Amino acid sequence: MSPTTLALPLAFGLPGGQLGTLLAALVAALVVVFVGKFVLNVAWKLLVLAIVVIGALWVVTTFLP
């Protein structure tokens, strides 16, 4: 392991070694999941909005001359 990898858990007051590194990696994965959940929530709403807008434009251009 590199010195940076070993120093990362110690910087946050976590125990050193493999368990401290594993704990830091799991916390980082948790942060990624929470951020991803928020981004997907926003993306879902944007997709629904886009479908509604494009559908309305299609109806207007198809059925109204």
Side-chain angles (χ1 to χ4, degrees):
M1 282 190 198
S2 71
T4 306
T5 306
L6 293 175
L8 181 63
L10 294 175
F12 294 108
L14 298 174
Q18 291 180 347
L19 286 179
T21 304
L22 179 61
L23 182 60
L26 288 174
V27 169
L30 181 68
V31 169
V32 168
V33 167
F34 276 125
V35 169
K37 182 180 176 182
F38 173 74
V39 169
L40 285 176
N41 190 15
V42 172
W44 176 257
K45 290 176 184 175
L46 287 175
L47 279 173
V48 169
L49 180 65
I51 289 172
V52 169
V53 169
I54 298 299
L57 289 173
W58 176 77
V59 167
V60 167
T61 58
T62 303
F63 297 111
L64 297 175

